[in-house]
Amino acid sequence: FWQPSVRSKQELQERLQLKRARLPEVVLMMGGGEGFGSLVQVAVAIGERLIELGHGQLVVICGRNKEVKQELENHIWPHPLHRQLGLFRPIILGFGPNGDE
């Protein structure tokens, strides 16, 4: 059965390449093949809203859906300055062994 991580919040943020934040500012999306709808459209809409707000991080777990993962990785997010300064850098993941973190 699942056991909670003994790692600190800061250690997990670093391991998962999240920006360090005091407050919970992460939107985690997971979608499978069971009727979620358009994961890409929803992720893009949330990402654009986070850019408008000026804070927050987007993490999308695509599972084994390589097409969705590739489409999100290739998506050109608005506001190139935000990308250059690293203010908005979504993390797009496939299926991985560290899903419990």
Side-chain angles (χ1 to χ4, degrees):
F1 190 70
W2 176 81
Q3 295 292 321
S5 177
V6 295
R7 295 184 180 130
S8 71
K9 179 179 177 179
Q10 290 77 22
E11 287 175 303
L12 288 174
Q13 287 172 336
E14 185 175 313
R15 176 179 162 88
L16 299 173
Q17 300 176 353
L18 297 171
K19 290 186 274 182
R20 290 191 175 217
R22 290 183 306 110
L23 303 173
E25 295 187 351
V26 176
V27 176
L28 173 64
M29 295 183 63
M30 297 174 63
E34 299 299 322
F36 177 87
S38 177
L39 183 61
V40 172
Q41 287 179 331
V42 175
V44 167
I46 290 173
E48 289 176 356
R49 181 66 178 135
L50 292 174
I51 290 170
E52 288 174 15
L53 293 172
H55 65 89
Q57 300 173 79
L58 175 63
V59 178
V60 183
I61 300 176
C62 304
R64 293 183 183 90
N65 193 331
K66 293 177 184 175
E67 291 174 11
V68 168
K69 183 176 186 289
Q70 184 174 12
E71 189 171 345
L72 286 171
E73 287 174 337
N74 293 332
H75 182 76
I76 297 175
W77 300 92
H79 305 291
L81 182 60
H82 281 80
R83 288 194 309 274
Q84 289 174 353
L85 296 176
L87 299 176
F88 184 75
R89 182 180 48 90
I91 298 172
I92 312 300
L93 303 170
F95 179 78
N98 61 340
D100 63 327
E101 295 178 336

